Amino acid sequence: RHVADFQLSVASVIENSSGDCLAQDLHLQAQQLAERLQCDSVVSAISAGPGTVNFTINRELLAKTVLQQVWKDGSEYGVKSELFSTVPRQKAVVEFSSPNIAKKFHIGHLRSTIVGNFIANLKVALGHEVVRINYLGDWGMQFGLLGVGFQSFGNKEKLKSSPLQHLFEVYVQINKAAEDENTKKLAKDFFRKLEEHDEQALSIWKQFRDLSIEEYVRIYKRLGVHFDEYSGESFYQEKAQEVLKMLEDKGLLQKTIKGTGVVDLSEKKDLSTVSTVMRSDGTSLYITRQFLIISFRDLAAAIDRMNKHSWDTMIYVTDKSQSNHFQHLFQILKLMGYDWAERCQHVSFGLVQGMKTRRGEVVFLEDVLNEVRSRMLQNMTSTKTTKETQDPVETAEKVGLAALIIQDFRGLLSSDYQFSWERALQSRGDTGVFLQYTHARLHSLEQMHGNAELTDVNVSCLQEPDAVSVLQHLLRYDEVLYRSSQDLQPKHIVSYLLTLSHLAAVAHKTLPVKGSAPAVAQARLCLFHAARSVLANGMKLLGITPVTQM
């Protein structure tokens, strides 16, 4: 079956071709145009379709150009395309993950982590400078409760060995006790001490924070994620006061009858859309982002990052329930006179239902990683075709993570979806396991037959339809990268890689290397090398580490 490489719709080039232009007219015009065009050294065939003119590229030229380009550009293949030649190199700040210390690391945090990591990876690959920031929930009344709770239920050994779990346990226990008025008072006192910079209270808080970050770093490493900066609400205590003063000086802060501080965001200035920034008792609100509440800290953090990093774009990656919050944050910054607020962006994502581990609800990120590893390991040991891998546990983790990421990235980020372990970990179909399996197979093909050398490849050996399909697909990689760079959606890359894997799997069957004439074997090896190289590049962008054995 012959598939044209490029297609021209005749309707798009005919002046005043309105909808009343009949199909047979268009077909006739397509035929007339096709007859007038001539082939050359690039275009080897021109034909007419229903209202279209189809062009076929010289097959040898296609093979030679694609293979040389993939070989030459390596990990930068697609990125060096002229599609990106006019895109200015910029500095981007990406805030993502941002869990609350001593609270659950829920599935929303996991989504934020992998989506933010993808956006940062893509920007870096395209030559931009990126600062990855984790904005921790590391301040507030919860630390008053924790401080008191630790005196009653804390254990220094447990805090050192598993800080996230131990602080969570302490927090759960003290919350049960917090019904008691005396406990509430003690917690308030402890938090007041923190706000007044009491040395002893601060050193306890700092220990909680530092040990938590140490453990986060270790767990993020398993995910293949790193941060340039662990920031947090605690950084912006003093700066939040400065923001308050700025809002007052600019006459933007208004008091309602109840004494609550609001910023009027309505067009008619009739308080029909307001953003509450201060409680009536004068304290700045924490980020209960569900309400129209902007904490001064978020404003202070945005201003501080601009001063510190002079970024061109700042991206916040959180779930879509916080869309209002960010809309208001950007509006207030603009009212304060910061025009760069227009270069802030909220990338939102939908909710994931039904992700549970065998132990029940997800409480810690590590639970998810352990679950995916153990399930994958079980699948691998029960599969007859599984070869002995050098490090099965490590492989299971990488393959399992690929499964998680692909299941998450297949649709639009803003859509909610139902999570399923069974579906995610299937080895056939459009899954991360299939991508890893394809990569490992192509890698072992290269190991078995030695590395291909491009210098002596006879491209006329790559004329079969299955080889051409792979080459055509490789040629389009830059367009897919461009689409994802425009809307920051990973799904374009995901569907591209799944199709590439299906095409490569078919070619692997129909175009054997073993037993073919040397020139044919060498050409095919080159084709499979190119497919594996592009597959690996795309997987790495998504945050997946390609495995070489499975």
Side-chain angles (χ1 to χ4, degrees):
R1 139 190 103 81
H2 173 78
V3 184
D5 298 297
F6 297 98
Q7 205 170 49
L8 174 73
S9 157
V10 176
S12 67
V13 291
I14 294 174
E15 282 176 14
N16 62 35
S17 86
S18 53
D20 47 342
C21 197
L22 291 170
Q24 61 240 49
D25 294 348
L26 283 176
H27 190 55
L28 188 67
Q29 283 174 308
Q31 278 175 321
Q32 288 169 345
L33 183 56
E35 280 161 16
R36 286 169 61 195
L37 294 168
Q38 294 193 337
C39 297
D40 59 9
S41 60
V42 177
V43 177
S44 61
I46 301 170
S47 64
T52 61
V53 178
N54 304 323
F55 301 89
T56 302
I57 300 295
N58 173 327
R59 292 289 170 244
E60 290 190 19
L61 184 72
L62 173 72
K64 195 174 164 186
T65 310
V66 171
L67 295 179
Q68 277 182 342
Q69 207 62 49
V70 174
W71 208 270
K72 187 169 126 253
D73 292 348
S75 64
E76 291 183 317
Y77 176 68
V79 173
K80 286 187 159 180
S81 156
E82 63 226 29
L83 280 178
F84 296 105
S85 58
T86 57
V87 178
R89 299 283 176 265
Q90 293 187 322
K91 184 169 188 179
V93 166
V94 187
E95 179 197 300
F96 62 106
S97 196
S98 309
N100 298 304
I101 289 177
K103 292 186 181 176
K104 289 177 187 172
F105 190 107
H106 57 75
I107 192 67
H109 292 123
L110 175 62
R111 261 204 117 172
S112 172
T113 307
I114 59 178
V115 173
N117 187 48
F118 158 70
I119 292 171
N121 288 347
L122 182 63
K123 295 251 177 217
V124 168
L126 296 175
H128 304 295
E129 189 186 340
V130 174
V131 182
R132 302 164 189 247
I133 295 182
N134 198 337
Y135 186 64
L136 298 172
D138 64 355
W139 199 250
M141 256 332 277
Q142 78 212 56
F143 284 94
L145 282 166
L146 264 185
V148 175
F150 199 74
Q151 287 160 5
S152 315
F153 311 110
N155 174 317
K156 283 190 173 149
E157 291 311 305
K158 279 186 183 170
L159 179 67
K160 282 212 167 80
S161 62
S162 49
L164 299 178
Q165 197 174 339
H166 186 53
L167 287 175
F168 178 72
E169 285 163 2
V170 169
Y171 189 62
V172 170
Q173 282 177 296
I174 192 67
N175 257 320
K176 285 180 192 153
E179 309 301 312
D180 165 54
E181 285 306 312
N182 187 38
T183 307
K184 272 187 193 157
K185 188 185 167 302
L186 289 171
K188 269 190 173 162
D189 289 348
F190 188 88
F191 186 55
R192 203 190 62 247
K193 282 181 183 170
L194 277 180
E195 293 206 292
E196 290 166 358
H197 301 295
D198 174 86
E199 271 184 34
Q200 196 187 354
L202 273 178
S203 89
I204 294 171
W205 167 83
K206 193 175 178 315
Q207 196 182 16
F208 291 166
R209 187 181 191 276
D210 292 351
L211 289 169
S212 295
I213 288 176
E214 257 175 55
E215 194 171 1
Y216 277 134
V217 170
R218 180 181 64 76
I219 298 165
Y220 284 132
K221 200 171 175 185
R222 279 180 68 180
L223 254 181
V225 173
H226 72 277
F227 291 92
D228 302 303
E229 212 174 281
Y230 280 86
S231 168
E233 298 170 18
S234 60
F235 283 55
Y236 298 105
Q237 290 312 99
E238 277 74 30
K239 290 195 169 88
Q241 296 307 311
E242 293 166 24
V243 170
L244 169 65
K245 195 170 172 340
M246 283 167 78
L247 286 171
E248 282 177 337
D249 292 350
K250 288 183 187 291
L252 294 169
L253 192 69
Q254 302 180 26
K255 288 276 169 77
T256 61
I257 304 154
K258 292 179 185 159
T260 311
V262 298
V263 176
D264 188 359
L265 298 176
S266 59
E267 281 181 26
K268 294 179 183 155
K269 296 291 167 216
D270 57 1
L271 292 178
S272 57
T273 314
V274 299
S275 189
T276 310
V277 289
M278 197 166 82
R279 288 202 191 95
S280 51
D281 63 1
T283 55
S284 90
L285 279 156
Y286 279 102
I287 309 180
T288 38
R289 280 176 166 162
Q290 298 84 297
F291 303 106
L292 304 187
I293 290 164
I294 300 289
S295 110
F296 296 134
R297 285 196 201 89
D298 283 13
L299 293 165
I303 297 164
D304 178 57
R305 286 172 196 169
M306 189 49 164
N307 295 339
K308 190 172 167 187
H309 298 295
S310 310
W311 45 262
D312 297 295
T313 174
M314 177 153 65
I315 298 167
Y316 296 86
V317 185
T318 72
D319 72 68
K320 60 186 177 188
S321 70
Q322 301 185 18
S323 296
N324 263 351
H325 168 78
F326 285 105
Q327 213 180 328
H328 288 200
L329 177 70
F330 305 156
Q331 277 177 293
I332 293 177
L333 285 165
K334 199 143 173 32
L335 285 174
M336 290 171 79
Y338 295 115
D339 288 340
W340 47 255
E342 288 171 1
R343 304 202 304 269
C344 292
Q345 190 181 355
H346 176 218
V347 173
S348 62
F349 51 81
L351 306 173
V352 182
Q353 276 104 12
M355 185 187 239
K356 287 196 163 46
T357 65
R358 292 199 178 100
R359 288 163 56 187
E361 187 199 5
V362 172
V363 180
F364 305 107
L365 173 58
E366 196 145 32
D367 294 343
V368 181
L369 299 183
N370 293 343
E371 182 83 9
V372 76
R373 183 171 68 188
S374 72
R375 281 176 186 259
M376 199 59 229
L377 204 54
Q378 200 176 357
N379 287 8
M380 279 162 56
T381 43
S382 65
T383 311
K384 295 189 174 60
T385 53
T386 306
K387 295 195 182 94
E388 280 296 304
T389 52
Q390 278 163 347
D391 190 344
V393 178
E394 180 80 359
T395 303
E397 179 144 316
K398 286 175 182 160
V399 176
L401 276 175
L404 265 187
I405 290 171
I406 295 299
Q407 171 147 297
D408 198 278
F409 285 179
R410 278 188 61 191
L412 265 176
L413 292 178
S414 57
S415 50
D416 304 341
Y417 74 92
Q418 192 68 33
F419 181 84
S420 148
W421 286 109
E422 282 63 41
R423 198 172 60 238
L425 298 175
Q426 278 170 356
S427 56
R428 304 200 182 284
D430 291 342
T431 64
V433 181
F434 174 59
L435 289 187
Q436 289 283 30
Y437 176 66
T438 306
H439 184 273
R441 259 179 100 183
L442 294 175
H443 183 269
S444 68
L445 187 73
E446 287 179 58
Q447 295 299 95
M448 215 182 325
H449 298 283
N451 288 338
E453 285 302 325
L454 190 67
T455 40
D456 50 359
V457 165
N458 180 356
V459 285
S460 63
C461 299
L462 294 173
Q463 302 299 300
E464 298 86 353
D466 291 337
V468 172
S469 294
V470 173
L471 290 163
Q472 284 172 323
H473 197 62
L474 291 175
L475 189 61
R476 299 198 176 102
Y477 184 55
D478 60 344
E479 295 169 27
V480 176
L481 290 183
Y482 187 75
R483 279 186 74 184
S484 279
S485 74
Q486 292 297 296
D487 63 7
L488 302 181
Q489 295 284 338
K491 73 182 183 106
H492 312 303
I493 296 174
V494 170
S495 75
Y496 175 88
L497 296 179
L498 288 166
T499 303
L500 176 60
S501 296
H502 285 296
L503 293 173
V506 171
H508 189 269
K509 270 200 195 103
T510 61
L511 309 173
V513 173
K514 196 177 176 181
S516 298
V520 175
Q522 190 63 10
R524 287 175 180 175
L525 208 51
C526 251
L527 177 72
F528 290 126
H529 168 82
R532 185 189 66 79
S533 171
V534 174
L535 179 60
N537 292 349
M539 286 164 80
K540 287 174 192 164
L541 283 182
L542 298 172
I544 296 169
T545 307
V547 299
T548 52
Q549 294 180 303
M550 212 172 132

